[in-house]
Amino acid sequence: MSQLRDRSKPHAQSGFTLIELLVVIAIIAILAAILFPVFAQAREKARAISCLSSVKQIGMALMLYQTDAEGGVMRVSIADGGVTHYWWGAWDGLSLNVPGGLLYPYTKSEGIQQDPSFDNSLRSSLGFTGYGYNYVYLSPSSWGGPPDYIETPIPVTESQIGQPARTVAFATSA
């Protein structure tokens, strides 16, 4: 009979007191404050790795383009009727056609032209990118001519690049 409960004593309440609950919430808040910056750094590192992978794929596509162009370096844009072809897509003045881009046949991807760290809200009509092409050096309109020379139809060739190993073709840009 010792296991029977004495009904004359009030039984103890089970659960947390307010103080205990506040202590647990404070501990969780401290842990969250410590861990959120770590998660943010991990997310930024993942974006950087994704960016590096995309730039590598774009660079490989550029090399394949140059092979098909018999050593000619890609122009910054090529006008074809009412359509202007850029490396990331073709623009007809109203809409962007990503598969019409100069490098698209070599990548077959619509995702690599977009830098994950770049806010693309300002470029929605002309195409999401975030990578810049070094067209000033690789595709100038007056390459090889005097300063008053307007444009040459002959593209720059790989042999005309002074230090190819030190020349940046694509980079993250805003």
Side-chain angles (χ1 to χ4, degrees), residues 23 84 107 119 123 131 172:
V23 168
T84 303
T107 62
D119 179 20
R123 289 205 40 157
Y131 300 114
T172 298

Side-chain angles (χ1 to χ4, degrees), residues 64-103:
L64 292 169
Y65 178 96
Q66 289 172 191
T67 300
D68 285 351
E70 297 176 1
V73 178
M74 180 181 69
R75 302 295 276 175
V76 66
S77 64
I78 297 174
D80 182 21
V83 178
T84 303
H85 298 270
Y86 300 98
W87 70 268
W88 68 88
W91 176 253
D92 65 2
L94 299 173
S95 63
L96 181 74
N97 177 20
V98 174
L102 299 173
L103 297 182

Side-chain angles (χ1 to χ4, degrees), residues 55 58-63 66 73-74 87 103 131-139 161 163-173:
V55 169
I58 293 168
M60 297 288 285
L62 179 65
M63 290 171 48
Q66 289 172 191
V73 178
M74 180 181 69
W87 70 268
L103 297 182
Y131 300 114
Y133 178 51
N134 186 3
Y135 70 90
V136 173
Y137 182 68
L138 297 175
S139 178
I161 298 172
Q163 295 180 333
R166 293 180 154 200
T167 301
V168 174
F170 286 94
T172 298
S173 147

